[in-house]
């Protein structure tokens, strides 16, 4: 039994070798979804711990991970605890001044520091940033109706590059600044895509709470393993892609258009989904590719999806 266990361990390591070699030095932007993170129960803590171990392992074998995190459910929970009710317009939360304050406190003060500290359990590797730090994320108001909901208008990734050069792991929360210094709450998918583009990342991975892009959102077995940009656009147009999946897919398409070689949607609730995606032949989640089908700039992609 022991020897077959050892054989299996060796096999796993050998399977990882070509991936580790291929991705050595690669910038990989990982968007950690608020839903994949859970909202404070025990399983959420386990998921955060596993996520942190995966990111530190990536870092240890020579990749350059950059974490961008969400926190919508956590903001919702704190608004509830504070007895604040929200209005929604087209499914988007109206962010008045008070809601913005809660979003800042929860994203920057709580979610960001929880992720940073989970990473730093393994060694002094992670540094937390908000989009307001060193001019990282420039934003503007999306629409007057939505209040302080922002869209990304520019990214200055200098601070992120500096941290990567110091061999640190940047962890970014998605509050951005307008030209006058006004804070805006921004969808984390949009920020992840914009940061990946600004860094010319080799890979952008969205960790979410579904197995990937689904042909039928109510059927987890309807996973679409590979989708071209054109098909993705028509799936948005016909309503197959809705709600929180829209900014993800829009972000994927934007990243691909701007030179990010590989873009994946992966189920963050699956333990160590990141390692499976990066270092094994297992096909996990959905890969989004350009219309010519060519997304693999970093060598032959083997059986990876
Ligand atoms: P995150 O915190 O990861 O950003 P969101 O709730 O914003 O999570 O986005 C993921 C959600 O998108 C899924 O839980 C699902 O309800 C929704 N969704 C809508 N259309 C689809 C689709 N075609 N395939 C998968 N998920 C979809
Ligand atoms: Mg979302």
């Amino acid at each position: 039994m022991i020897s077959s266990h050892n054989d299996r361990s060796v096999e796993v390591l050998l399977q990882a070798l070509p991936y580790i070699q291929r991705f050595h030095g690669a910038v990989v932007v990982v968007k950690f979804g608020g839903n994949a993170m859970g909202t404070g129960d025990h399983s959420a803590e386990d998921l955060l711990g596993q996520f942190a171990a995966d990111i530190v392992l990536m870092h240890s074998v020579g990749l350059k991970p950059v974490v961008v995190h969400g926190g919508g459910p956590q903001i919702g929970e704190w608004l509830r605890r504070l007895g604040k009710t929200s209005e929604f317009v087209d499914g988007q939360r109206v962010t008045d001044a008070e809601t913005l304050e809660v979003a800042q406190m929860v994203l920057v003060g709580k979610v960001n520091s929880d992720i940073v500290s989970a990473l730093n359990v393994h060694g002094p590797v992670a540094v937390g940033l908000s989009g307001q730090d060193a001019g990282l994320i420039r934003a503007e108001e999306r629409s007057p109706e939505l209040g302080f909901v922002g869209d990304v208008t520019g990214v200055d990734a200098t601070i992120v590059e500096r941290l990567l050069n110091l061999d640190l792991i940047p962890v970014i929360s998605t509050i951005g600044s307008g030209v006058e210094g006004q804070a805006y709450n921004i969808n984390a998918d949009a920020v992840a895509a914009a940061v990946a583009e600004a860094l010319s990342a080799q890979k952008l991975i969205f960790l979410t709470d579904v197995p990937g892009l689904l042909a039928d959102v109510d059927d987890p077995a309807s996973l679409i393993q590979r989708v071209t940009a054109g098909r993705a656009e028509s799936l948005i147009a016909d309503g197959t892609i809705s709600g929180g999946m829209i900014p993800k897919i829009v972000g994927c398409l934007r990243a691909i258009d701007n030179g990010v070689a590989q873009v994946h949607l992966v189920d963050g609730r699956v333990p160590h989904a990141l390692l499976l995606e990066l270092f094994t032949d297992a096909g996990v989640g959905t890969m989004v590719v350009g219309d010519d089908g060519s997304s693999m700039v970093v060598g032959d992609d083997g059986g990876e999806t």
Side-chain angles (χ1 to χ4, degrees):
M1 287 309 279
I2 289 172
S3 83
S4 81
H5 178 77
N6 286 348
D7 288 351
R8 176 85 191 109
S9 305
V10 168
E11 200 184 298
V12 167
L13 280 169
L14 288 175
Q15 196 184 102
L17 176 60
Y19 295 100
I20 291 173
Q21 288 179 313
R22 180 190 307 166
F23 291 128
H24 194 87
V27 174
V28 178
V29 175
V30 179
K31 191 271 177 154
F32 193 30
N35 286 309
M37 219 177 284
T39 46
D41 57 18
H42 282 298
S43 70
E45 268 168 41
D46 294 347
L47 276 181
L48 178 58
Q50 286 162 0
F51 169 79
D54 290 3
I55 294 286
V56 171
L57 194 148
M58 286 166 68
H59 180 253
S60 302
V61 298
L63 283 71
K64 296 175 182 289
V66 175
V67 177
V68 176
H69 66 84
Q74 291 79 0
I75 294 168
E77 188 188 314
W78 274 99
L79 289 170
R80 264 194 309 282
R81 285 202 209 179
L82 295 167
K84 174 130 179 99
T85 49
S86 299
E87 272 177 67
F88 287 84
V89 175
D90 296 334
Q92 301 179 83
R93 189 192 299 278
V94 175
T95 301
D96 61 13
E98 216 173 41
T99 303
L100 176 68
E101 282 194 319
V102 174
Q104 285 183 287
M105 288 189 273
V106 171
L107 290 178
V108 183
K110 175 71 177 144
V111 179
N112 188 270
S113 55
D114 282 352
I115 296 170
V116 167
S117 91
L119 289 163
N120 287 337
V121 163
H122 301 275
V125 286
V127 175
L129 295 171
S130 95
Q132 294 190 292
D133 287 317
L136 177 55
I137 305 292
R138 177 74 71 214
E140 68 179 13
E141 181 183 82
R142 171 170 294 179
S143 95
E145 270 185 317
L146 289 171
F148 299 107
V149 172
D151 284 316
V152 179
T153 56
V155 176
D156 180 345
T158 311
I159 184 65
V160 177
E161 283 160 356
R162 285 185 184 163
L163 292 171
L164 291 176
N165 287 336
L166 293 172
D167 208 23
L168 293 164
I169 303 173
V171 179
I172 302 168
S173 64
T174 59
I175 301 289
S177 283
V179 272
E180 306 291 342
Q182 172 63 52
Y184 290 98
N185 187 12
I186 312 172
N187 179 280
D189 299 327
V191 171
V195 167
E197 176 192 332
L199 292 170
S200 302
Q202 267 88 333
K203 221 169 171 57
L204 169 61
I205 302 174
F206 292 90
L207 290 178
T208 183
D209 66 345
V210 281
L213 177 58
L214 303 171
D216 170 1
V217 68
D218 297 318
D219 178 8
S222 68
L223 177 68
I224 301 172
Q225 291 196 311
R226 194 167 178 279
V227 69
T228 60
R231 173 136 187 253
E233 274 162 14
S234 59
L235 292 174
I236 292 178
D238 74 12
T240 303
I241 297 173
S242 64
M245 191 49 64
I246 293 177
K248 259 178 254 303
I249 297 295
V250 168
C252 291
L253 300 182
R254 173 179 173 171
I256 288 168
D257 271 351
N258 290 288
V260 179
Q262 301 183 17
V263 182
H264 298 261
L265 298 172
V266 173
D267 193 340
R269 303 164 308 173
V270 173
H272 304 294
L274 261 183
L275 298 186
L276 287 171
E277 202 297 305
L278 281 162
F279 298 125
T280 74
D281 300 332
V284 292
T286 298
M287 182 174 198
V288 186
V289 300
D291 280 322
D292 54 3
S294 68
S295 71
M296 282 74 79
V297 176
V298 197
D300 165 43
D301 202 46
E304 205 188 8
T305 56

